[in-house]
Amino acid sequence: MSAGAHAILPGRGGLFGTLSDVLWRNPRLTLFLMLTPPLLWLGIIYLGSLFALLAQSFFSIDEFSGLIRYEWTFKTYAELLRPSNLDIILRTVSMAAAVTLASAVIAFPIAYYAARYARGKWKALFYLGAMLPLWSSYLVKVYAWKLILAKEGILTWIFAKLHLTPVLEAWLALPVIGGNSLSVSYTGTFIVFVYVWLPYMILPTQAALERVPESMLEASSDLGGSPAQTFRHVLLPLALPGIIAGSIFTFSLTLGDYIIPQIIGSSRLFIGQAVYAHQGTAGNIPLAAAFTVVPIVIMGFYLWMAKRQGAFNAL
Amino acid sequence: MRSDRNSRAPLALKIAAALGLLFLHLPILLIFVYAFTTEDRSFQWPPPGYTLKWFAVTWNRPDVWEALGLSVRVAAISTVVALVLGTLCAAAVSRTKFFGRETISLLVILPIALPGIITGIALRSAFNLADIPFSFWTIILGHATFCVVVVYNNAVARFRRTSGSLIEASMDLGADGFQTFRHVVLPNIGTALLAGGMLAFALSFDEVIVTTFTAGQQATLPIWMLEELVRPRQRPVTNVVAMVVVLVTFLPILAAYYLTRDGDQIAGSGK
Amino acid sequence: MQTAVAFSRVSRHFGAVRAVDEVDLAIAEGEFFAMLGPSGSGKTTCLRLIAGFEQPTSGHIEIFGETAEGVPPYRRNVNTVFQDYALFPHLSVADNVAYGPMIRGVPKAERLKAAEEALALVRLPGYGDRRPGQLSGGQRQRVALARALINKPKVLLLDEPLGALDLKLREQMQEELKALQRKLGITFVFVTHDQGEALSMADRVAVFNHGKIMQIGAPEEIYRAPRSRFVADFVGSSNVLPPDVTERLDGRRAWASLRPEAIRLVSEGGVEAMVTGHSYLGAATKLGVFLGEQRLTVLLPAGSPVPAQGQMVSIQWNPADLHVMEDEQ
């Protein structure tokens, strides 16, 4: 008998054998060793920086020397509530809301078609159709729109070919949303935001729609619901958690972005640009930190609402 | 013919879905056209002519090569760090029930859930406070932080599908912890890690917001592009670079998709 | 004969749950031992304690005279056939079977030859190149068996191995397992919730409930002489008689069990009972009767006349078959 001689075998020895025995006997030690590197990285480097930043929002800047005064104060928050700063916040939140709404409307038919009608190859195609733009380069996407929206670009050309140039001009003449050309107007900013964040809306909406059983829609029409009523009373409520999950992305990403409005848009600031300006050239880190608290608070509130709607199950 | 009726979509829906997809894809395709234009002062449409000369010009630009090289190095190292940290986290969370599991999931997701500018400025002011000079490594520090989540998500999903008794079976058959990891765990989560790694690479390769805060004088490719967008120097070169970036990022994403899809099939057949 | 597995006062608690509670147990070498009980009774935890996946909260476990606490599963010469078979999906059938030898560093040609022999032993020759996903449930079960047996374990543990198979395959596998165990002489410890399986295959059966062993014994002993109401109930559908009924029939005042097939219909000299209905089982007919207030089940052999509902019949049994139980529970 070779292997069958003993019921309990000796360890295989060596460093790994001994270490393996020790780790097996101490599952808590194993867990500790596994968690230490990621927790050190995320807990110390990331959370540490985040709290350091938030702490700085309670400092203030000395108006004469321009240096940071390390004393606890709410002065910076008072500054945040100045009309010009409130304007920035309001502008950003309105844009985020508009972008979210438009994304939901455009995403729904794509998600619905992919979830309900696309099969086999088409399904994969739809999935990749949302995945590829989601992952492809953010800057390239913004750049593409700079090309499209330029005064001499393809959009102006299309309007001219269709003899609709007056419509475009009338639109650009509108106050607030208009401007010199599309690439320096809110309309342009809005289009690019919708374009860049749209895939984030499609995927969760599709996931939610996939989970609606076919029989439920049949039951609704069986009970006399017209297609519109079925949509309104059955499909939409069931897809809502997915739409809300998607809106978390579109809303949060719009709130924090500072590159899109810088490249395509008017000179009026969004929160992200304000943060960037205050921490950079102005050197006013406390105010920049206070500005970052705004999206954190808004998103905290948003997430709390979303959680109540059960949107996290759709993520 | 119930199935027939169900498989036919209303025309309006078809049109809306098709328009939506066109909206998503046409702008990217447009970049490809612009890479060949002869016009070098404006974004004129339609292009007055087509040429290949900008590819040669771009090829001979050392700043583009430098930026590309830096981006690849940053993405590669960030991906390795993210793979190690993400896998450890996923293994700990899915194999053991311990107090604070939910907190760890939240902690991993936070860097990508909060707007990038917050992560960026937080890291920047922390580096300033700690007197750490900006360098190649500060970029890595930022990138690895938000890349962990993609590896983690892929690994957790695969761990969830892998039967826990496989590990017990391996130990039962005489393999210790390290042997079990090498012969059973790694082959089973390998494709998920590869997919997570590719997505992490794409994410890092493309990142601009956090990078603007954590980079010193170095320019990664996205930083280079951002410079060109804000202060254009030679537009056609930017067009060519943009097209190359699209092609370079598509490959790992497609590969990741096929890897995780195959993984599903393997896991499915094991049941 | 040597003791293969010995438990002395072994407990395994999960928080407040006493999955295994002060269990004493001795399994002899070469024995086919069954652990029988409802789900959550602690039988699977006992198996995992032997395999080394769980550690006892208190008590002492010995495997072939050697202390097992603190010894990891990979250092125990004990192998398991898992309930879900746990075949490695990324390996071929041959590589699955050769996994143990591979870990021990056996050269490739040698271990693949051993794997082919092990597959032949479980009657799956030539299946080595397939993937586990391409096999049927019964075939996977045989692969799992071969993968364990190739290591020549001192004890083979089987966790509900037939649970996922359909009835016909199950009966076939029961016979094969039994034959295999006799041929190899390895100690088999077998966990099941199916009393028929336990009784037909095992040399000895331990009946578990609430983390404790209610009774250990040969199948006939467990079946004919259950020590407690739980065992009588769980092992076959026995008639359990409360003390007052036993006293009236037998004179002793205690709980008793009376097997349905021990009761027969007689023309005279028995006890009067009223027929409440019957159901046809194929090989026998199950008859329900009322003996006063007490409901009894009677098993009639096939072909005997079945009395109509409401009819009074006379029933009788061998006094030795009325088994008085020591244990109240």
Side-chain angles (χ1 to χ4, degrees), chain A residues 116-189:
Chain A
R116 213 131 281 286
Y117 298 103
R119 293 283 170 267
K121 273 200 155 75
W122 280 99
K123 189 135 201 148
L125 201 73
F126 263 91
Y127 183 72
L128 282 175
M131 273 298 276
L132 283 178
L134 179 103
W135 283 95
S136 56
S137 171
Y138 164 84
L139 273 177
V140 169
K141 285 185 278 191
V142 178
Y143 183 61
W145 280 95
K146 198 173 164 93
L147 302 176
I148 294 169
L149 297 175
K151 223 183 173 91
E152 69 277 17
I154 188 168
L155 211 59
T156 317
W157 178 79
I158 289 173
F159 272 98
K161 283 280 168 201
L162 296 174
H163 304 290
L164 291 171
T165 308
V167 177
L168 182 62
E169 277 166 6
W171 183 269
L172 287 173
L174 290 174
V176 185
I177 56 170
N180 242 340
S181 81
L182 277 174
S183 60
V184 293
S185 68
Y186 279 148
T187 312
T189 319

Side-chain angles (χ1 to χ4, degrees), chain B residues 103-147:
Chain B
T103 320
I104 287 182
S105 299
L106 184 69
L107 184 61
V108 171
I109 292 163
L110 205 59
I112 210 155
L114 285 181
I117 192 165
I118 297 180
T119 307
I121 188 180
L123 288 172
R124 185 182 188 87
S125 64
F127 293 151
N128 276 333
L129 285 178
D131 262 334
I132 299 172
F134 294 103
S135 68
F136 178 69
W137 295 103
T138 51
I139 305 178
I140 303 266
L141 225 50
H143 281 207
T145 304
F146 58 76
C147 283

